[in-house]
RNA sequence: GUCCCCAUCGUCUAGCCUGGCCUAGGACACCGGCCUUUCACGCCGGCGACAGGGGUUCAAAUCCCCUUGGGGACGCCA
């Protein structure tokens, strides 16, 4: 069976709830989700919470919230790995009975000592399998003494034994039996280990394709061994290259901070799909070279065989004010804000304005048309959703701040003390407050006074918006409304030195 | 140290399997210019890479080997 034979796949995302949902995990989830959607398959969410000491409920919530925010909906779950522990234990005992596993009585201390010694000798430590060769008498003695033991998998030791698995990204992978140690599948306290639990859960969930990070490659031969020993068919694997930081180190919250967590992008005003689109391109590309994809387009274009084999770098430079995350991610977000369907953008803007106290329910009722025109006008220059509250305040409230640089640059001409109130008067007299009429006022005024139009245009922009940048002035004034504009311009004299 | 994987502009990548169409293409970032009342957008242009060395071949980014560099895995973590 190869990947192209798979019609409908059952895939899963199986994070351990020991921290935040981070970029790497989210990308893994995204690839799984994409493949499930593409094949009309099933995407299962499984929480691998068997490490009781490190697993937390907050972390589970964070993962759920993150996936939901990204729009990566799952079809089954969340299943808790801890719920299936008895099945994992039972599998370990089946392996023991069938001779595929054995009891190992070596203590942690003994093994640690051997490991240290191997390290000192600069040789590889692979458990020597001494308990596999225990005599019947020794085994009986341990049984009578109730010596604590772990269960180890008995890796085939024939000289030419190899474990083979099919990887949709890396191709056919082989590992010699002699390079795999007899790994522990059940702890001395009777709890199963990840390597076993994970494989058993995948089998029970009928997972047909495992899409996971390349750091799972080394585990794969071991898990294939478990499958085969239990008489199960292993899934196909697709190991995705890792995403590293610009020093080629693993991404972690510890060393990179919030910028690697999904929740940070929500906080910073990202459009969730823009982040997905960016993540999709970290290790995958479309044959046509397209980069902006709608959900449907990405689902259609996505293809396991075009996943890269080399690691990619998340180009984050600490301390960069403008590029607080990978510049390409910012570019994607700005592109989405600028070009996405307005009705899809509006709910995000509403949430942002509500969060900053700028929302008015009239924006969905009597001021709906005005609101939509305004958003459509100002979004062209915005990078994140935060901009709607931080830079859009002058459209929604009279309480906005003035950029001192803009004031000193555009308000320095003393003549403005008379120009602006006069202009305000002329604007007040307009019976139709449209961009065209407003422009006529400005043009004729500049001609009459023999001053450059730029002078009064820039001064007015600063007066009504507090900044030196923004949309075309006349459209802007039209949207701000006659009363508001006239009032602001009359007060403007205080800004002129 | 052992085993495994990877290697094209600063970053994301196309091309590699099936050698010639590659003077190595695109995107982001950066730098110029145009447009313009500003800033963006848009358009035009610039900068910028096949890690090194050997082979094979008429021909190598593409196939093979070595070196170097990078990453991963080596837990009674997941």
């Amino acid at each position: 069976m190869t990947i192209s034979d798979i019609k409908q796949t059952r895939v899963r995302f199986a994070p351990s709830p020991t921290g935040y949902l981070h970029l790497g995990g989210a990308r893994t989830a995204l690839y799984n989700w994409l493949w499930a959607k593409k094949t009309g398959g099933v995407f299962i969410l499984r929480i691998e919470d068997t490490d009781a000491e490190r697993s937390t409920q907050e972390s589970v919530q964070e993962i759920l919230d993150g996936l939901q925010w990204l729009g990566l909906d799952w079809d089954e779950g969340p299943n808790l790995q801890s719920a299936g522990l008895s099945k994992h234990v039972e599998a370990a005992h089946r392996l023991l009975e069938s001779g595929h596993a054995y009891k190992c009585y070596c203590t942690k201390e003994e093994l640690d000592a051997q490991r240290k010694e191997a390290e000192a000798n600069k040789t590889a430590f692979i458990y020597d399998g001494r308990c596999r060769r225990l005599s019947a008498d020794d085994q009986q003695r341990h049984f009578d003494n109730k010596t604590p033991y772990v269960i180890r998998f008995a890796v085939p030791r024939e000289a030419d034994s190899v474990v083979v698995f099919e990887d949709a990204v890396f191709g056919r992978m082989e590992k010699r039996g002699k390079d795999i140690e007899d790994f522990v599948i059940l702890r001395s306290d009777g709890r199963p280990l990840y390597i076993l639990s994970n494989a058993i859960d995948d089998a029970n969930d009928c997972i047909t394709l495992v899409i996971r990070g390349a750091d799972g490659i080394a585990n794969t031969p071991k898990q294939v061994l478990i499958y085969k020993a239990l008489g199960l068919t292993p899934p196909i694997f697709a190991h995705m290259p890792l995403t590293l930081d610009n020093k080629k180190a693993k991404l972690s919250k510890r060393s990179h901070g919030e910028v690697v967590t999904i929740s940070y992008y929500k906080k910073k005003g990202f459009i969730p799909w823009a982040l997905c689109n960016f993540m999709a391109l970290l290790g995958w590309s479309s044959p046509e070279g397209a980069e902006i994809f709608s959900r449907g387009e990405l689902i259609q274009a996505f293809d396991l065989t075009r996943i890269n084999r080399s690691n990619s770098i998340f180009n984050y430079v600490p301390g960069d004010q403008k590029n607080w995350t990978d510049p390409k991610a910012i570019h994607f977000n700005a592109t989405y804000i600028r070009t996405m369907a307005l009705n899809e953008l509006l709910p995000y803007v509403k949430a942002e304005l509500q969060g900053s106290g700028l929302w008015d329910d009239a924006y969905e009722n009597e001021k709906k048309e005005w609101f939509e025109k305004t958003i459509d006008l100002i979004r062209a220059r915005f990078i994140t959703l935060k901009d709607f509250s931080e830079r859009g305040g002058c459209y929604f409230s009279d309480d906005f701040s003035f950029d001192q640089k803009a004031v000193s640059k555009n308000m320095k001409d003393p003549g403005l003390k008379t120009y602006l109130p006069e202009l305000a008067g002329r604007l007040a007299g307009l019976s139709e407050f449209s961009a065209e009429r407003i422009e006529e006022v400005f043009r004729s005024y500049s001609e009459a006074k023999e001053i450059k139009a730029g002078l009064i245009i820039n001064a007015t922009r600063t007066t009504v918006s507090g900044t030196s940048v923004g949309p075309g002035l006349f459209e802007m004034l039209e949207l701000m409304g006659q009363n508001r504009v006239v009032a602001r311009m009359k007060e403007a004299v205080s800004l002129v030195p």
Side-chain angles (χ1 to χ4, degrees):
Chain A
M1 185 165 71
T2 67
I3 198 67
S4 54
D5 298 325
I6 297 176
K7 292 289 181 279
Q8 292 186 324
T9 46
R10 289 177 64 83
V11 295
R12 60 20 173 219
F13 175 53
S16 62
T18 53
Y20 292 73
L21 179 64
H22 56 91
L23 251 14
R27 189 177 62 122
T28 303
L30 172 65
Y31 280 26
N32 275 286
W33 179 86
L34 283 169
W35 196 250
K37 294 287 175 208
K38 187 183 181 73
T39 61
V42 176
F43 177 45
I44 299 169
L45 176 61
R46 180 164 70 229
I47 305 292
E48 305 220 321
D49 60 343
T50 51
D51 186 346
E53 293 88 60
R54 292 196 298 153
S55 298
T56 65
Q57 191 52 46
E58 298 80 73
S59 180
V60 172
Q61 199 53 51
E62 165 107 8
I63 291 166
L64 263 36
D65 290 348
L67 292 177
Q68 250 152 21
W69 179 70
L70 288 169
L72 305 180
D73 50 316
W74 51 92
D75 303 301
E76 291 180 18
N79 302 335
L80 294 183
Q81 181 157 74
S82 54
L85 283 184
S86 60
K87 285 178 187 158
H88 312 155
V89 173
E90 186 217 336
H93 285 106
R94 275 217 307 280
L95 290 168
L96 195 58
E97 279 152 30
S98 63
H100 288 101
Y102 60 92
K103 294 175 180 176
C104 170
Y105 301 95
C106 297
T107 64
K108 246 184 211 174
E109 292 69 31
E110 287 167 353
L111 293 169
D112 283 347
Q114 288 175 39
R115 205 169 277 125
K116 266 191 183 160
E117 199 186 317
E119 203 177 316
N121 296 338
K122 298 214 170 200
T123 58
F125 173 73
I126 288 189
Y127 175 64
D128 60 11
R130 59 182 66 175
C131 291
R132 188 167 169 176
R133 300 181 293 268
L134 244 34
S135 68
D137 285 353
D138 284 339
Q139 286 184 47
Q140 187 61 44
R141 183 172 48 80
H142 278 126
F143 182 79
D144 293 341
N145 292 346
K146 294 197 167 79
T147 315
Y149 61 87
V150 299
I151 296 181
R152 283 184 186 271
F153 191 93
V155 176
R157 291 284 166 232
E158 293 75 38
D160 57 347
S161 81
V162 284
V163 183
V164 179
F165 65 93
E166 208 50 55
D167 193 293
V169 176
F170 288 88
R172 180 189 164 90
M173 302 285 279
E174 280 189 16
K175 182 102 172 167
R176 291 180 295 268
K178 70 179 168 79
D179 292 326
I180 308 172
E181 80 168 347
D182 287 348
F183 52 97
V184 177
I185 55 177
L186 202 75
R187 295 177 174 88
S188 53
D189 65 3
R191 287 157 60 219
L193 269 93
Y194 159 82
I195 195 111
L196 175 69
S197 297
N198 180 256
I200 301 303
D201 281 345
D202 282 345
N204 287 338
D205 287 339
C206 302
I207 300 298
T208 52
L209 171 69
V210 171
I211 304 174
R212 51 153 60 144
D215 47 355
I217 288 180
N219 281 329
T220 310
K222 297 177 182 174
Q223 295 190 308
V224 168
L225 248 14
I226 292 174
Y227 273 94
K228 296 255 169 85
L230 256 13
L232 302 165
T233 306
I236 296 209
F237 292 87
H239 285 99
M240 326 166 31
L242 270 15
T243 299
L244 310 171
D245 74 4
N246 55 11
K247 294 192 184 73
K248 301 201 171 164
K250 233 177 164 177
L251 253 29
S252 71
K253 179 159 192 255
R254 203 189 141 116
S255 46
H256 303 94
E258 291 186 298
V259 72
V260 301
T261 69
I262 296 304
S263 53
Y264 189 57
Y265 290 82
K266 181 180 182 186
K267 195 169 105 188
K268 291 288 272 184
F270 254 65
I271 302 287
W273 184 252
L275 186 59
C276 285
N277 197 152
F278 167 73
M279 290 191 297
L281 260 20
L282 241 34
W284 173 85
S285 61
S286 87
E288 294 81 21
E291 298 207 322
I292 299 285
F293 296 90
S294 67
R295 282 169 171 257
E297 287 166 345
L298 188 60
I299 288 165
Q300 187 165 37
F302 188 69
D303 182 358
L304 255 23
T305 65
R306 287 189 64 87
I307 297 178
N308 252 299
R309 279 189 277 274
S310 47
N311 294 339
S312 54
I313 289 173
F314 172 63
N315 194 17
Y316 155 70
V317 181
D320 189 330
Q321 272 288 300
K322 187 179 165 209
N323 297 316
W324 52 270
T325 183
D326 190 312
K328 195 152 182 169
I330 294 176
H331 167 257
F332 271 87
N333 201 54
T335 300
Y336 270 94
I337 286 184
R338 192 170 62 238
T339 62
M340 69 195 287
L342 192 62
N343 62 350
E344 287 174 35
L345 176 66
L346 256 16
Y348 294 116
V349 176
K350 178 182 177 184
E352 174 59 31
L353 294 184
Q354 280 176 326
S356 53
L358 291 170
W359 177 253
D360 180 345
D361 282 336
Y363 297 160
E364 280 181 336
N365 300 297
E366 66 269 26
K367 291 186 182 170
K368 187 169 189 284
E369 195 189 338
W370 171 83
F371 182 69
E372 292 183 0
K373 275 170 93 173
T374 302
I375 295 304
D376 203 24
L377 180 74
I378 63 181
R379 67 169 170 163
R381 287 159 184 78
F382 289 173
I383 309 295
T384 71
L385 294 168
K386 284 280 148 213
D387 288 329
F388 286 99
S389 59
E390 290 170 3
R391 294 167 59 195
C394 59
Y395 297 89
F396 307 116
S397 155
D398 287 322
D399 181 22
F400 61 94
S401 59
F402 284 85
D403 173 25
Q404 278 317 305
K405 273 189 191 153
V407 172
S408 49
K409 181 182 162 203
N410 291 331
M411 309 300 288
K412 61 173 181 254
D413 190 320
L416 291 167
K417 266 190 172 15
T418 52
Y419 304 152
L420 291 176
E422 281 182 18
L423 273 165
R426 295 196 180 193
L427 289 174
L430 245 32
S431 58
E432 181 200 330
F433 200 67
S434 68
E436 294 74 30
R437 297 287 94 78
I438 296 167
E439 178 159 12
E440 282 168 15
V441 168
F442 275 78
R443 299 290 175 204
S444 62
Y445 187 81
S446 80
E447 270 177 45
K449 293 279 177 180
E450 294 185 325
I451 52 174
K452 278 178 147 177
L455 172 69
I456 49 177
I457 287 172
N458 289 330
T460 303
R461 176 191 308 290
T462 301
T463 298
V464 299
S465 73
T467 82
S468 58
V469 304
L473 182 73
F474 311 120
E475 287 173 282
M476 196 171 140
L477 295 185
E478 178 186 326
L479 282 171
M480 283 180 166
Q482 196 163 21
N483 294 342
R484 193 169 249 174
V485 167
V486 170
R488 286 179 188 177
M489 287 177 76
K490 281 182 175 162
E491 287 169 24
V493 285
S494 63
L495 295 167
V496 185

